[in-house]
Amino acid sequence: MSLLFTPFTFNAPSGPVTLPNRIVIAPMCQYSAVNGLATDWHLAHWANLLNSGAGMLTIEATAVSPEGRISPGCLGLWDDTTAAALDEHLARASHLAPAMPVCIQLSHAGRKASSAAPWDGGMLIAPDHGGWTTLAPSALPHLPQEPAPQALTRTEIDRICDDFVQAARRARALGIQVIELHAAHGYLLHQFLSPLSNQRTDAYGGNFDNRIRFPLEVFIAVRKVFGGALGMRISATDWVEGGWTVEETAELASLLKQAGAQFVHISSGGVSPLQKIPVGPEYQVHLAKTVKDTSGLTTFAVGLITEPAQAEAVLQRGDADLVALGRSFLYNPRWAWKAAAELQGEVAASSAYWRCLPRDAQAIFGNVRIGMR
């Protein structure tokens, strides 16, 4: 039997959260919000992905404060207005698809905030051109040519921790079952972890215990108010000598497990332009395996896992417990249907899609069950 199409259950404090299979749609920024508000783009995007047959949808990096947005077009969950817009569009999308657990990634971009969308160059936007002053553990810019961010005071650190807590409360009120805290790709929590971006001399910088202090404080504070499944996405290595390492990631994962985490989602890089990433198929899977083997915490693998056989092999080898895909679902929103056909799995789909099956569907789809929603 295909492991990819076996259910997986997170044993969360408020009760189990069960995924029908082990395919996770990774968070993918759409840069299509207006002042943090979800739009009709999100309605169409989420409805499409909720009809994908995956085990769980992860909503893109969602800012816990206005200054925490990556770009002016990023989604937010920092007040009642942003919460209402997200609730409206997610509820409408959910009514158009089979039931699927939904995860939201809560994020603060730190010094990588106030940036243009990728198709507009992705560079830092100056305050007099619609940007804002960025915040970071230390006054070190991401790129040498950029202005330095403002180093956070202890009071500001506490405020941002509370921003995460309030966003988690709103997510809980919306009925979202899973939260992923974003500590990857060079954003604020990752900036605290990495010695390349964190050169503080107080209790939040220096040695490993100090650098993990803020991300761990955020996790513990969110755990207190959110009873659903809770985890963290972590860049397992900076791919730069002297940066954050996979061994440190594994140790952090062990501490997160002790603090009540249900999972870690293992990615890499993003904190330094000096990174040298050996991009290729499954290039991050060995990192996930190290973290899983060391911590024993449920682990997602992600990164150029594009074919169903690859995803199945990752699970069969025991390298990870679940597999996350991003761009593959943007390119082919029915990727899970393809995987089910190849691996003799089952997916559920809205009845309006049943007629799309090719005439030789029995040969193409094997034992796939297209179920009623």
Side-chain angles (χ1 to χ4, degrees), residues 239-302:
W239 299 112
V240 178
E241 186 176 352
W244 176 255
T245 69
V246 66
E247 291 78 17
E248 289 176 311
T249 300
E251 188 172 349
L252 174 58
S254 297
L255 294 171
L256 290 170
K257 183 180 181 182
Q258 294 173 26
Q262 276 66 57
F263 66 91
V264 281
H265 183 171
I266 300 303
S267 190
S268 69
V271 83
S272 171
L274 300 178
Q275 64 189 15
K276 295 179 180 178
I277 304 177
V279 176
E282 303 179 28
Y283 72 101
Q284 296 175 149
V285 171
H286 70 288
L287 303 171
K289 177 174 174 55
T290 296
V291 174
K292 178 178 184 291
D293 289 349
T294 303
S295 69
L297 184 58
T298 293
T299 303
F300 299 5
V302 69

Side-chain angles (χ1 to χ4, degrees), residues 5 35 43 62 72 148 159 173 198 223 263 325 327:
F5 284 93
N35 297 321
L43 168 62
T62 303
R159 175 180 56 77
N198 182 353
R223 177 77 288 172
F263 66 91
L325 297 92
R327 293 175 177 87

Side-chain angles (χ1 to χ4, degrees), residues 87-153:
D87 186 32
E88 176 192 356
H89 290 82
L90 182 59
R92 290 173 65 193
S94 297
H95 283 304
L96 299 172
M100 181 189 295
V102 173
C103 172
I104 189 168
Q105 186 186 65
L106 298 182
S107 176
H108 191 297
R111 70 182 187 180
K112 293 181 78 173
S114 187
S115 297
W119 49 83
D120 290 325
M123 300 303 292
L124 201 67
I125 304 171
D128 57 355
H129 285 81
W132 55 91
T133 300
T134 61
L135 305 171
S138 303
L140 300 170
H142 178 69
L143 298 175
Q145 67 270 27
E146 293 177 344
Q150 176 181 306
L152 288 162
T153 65

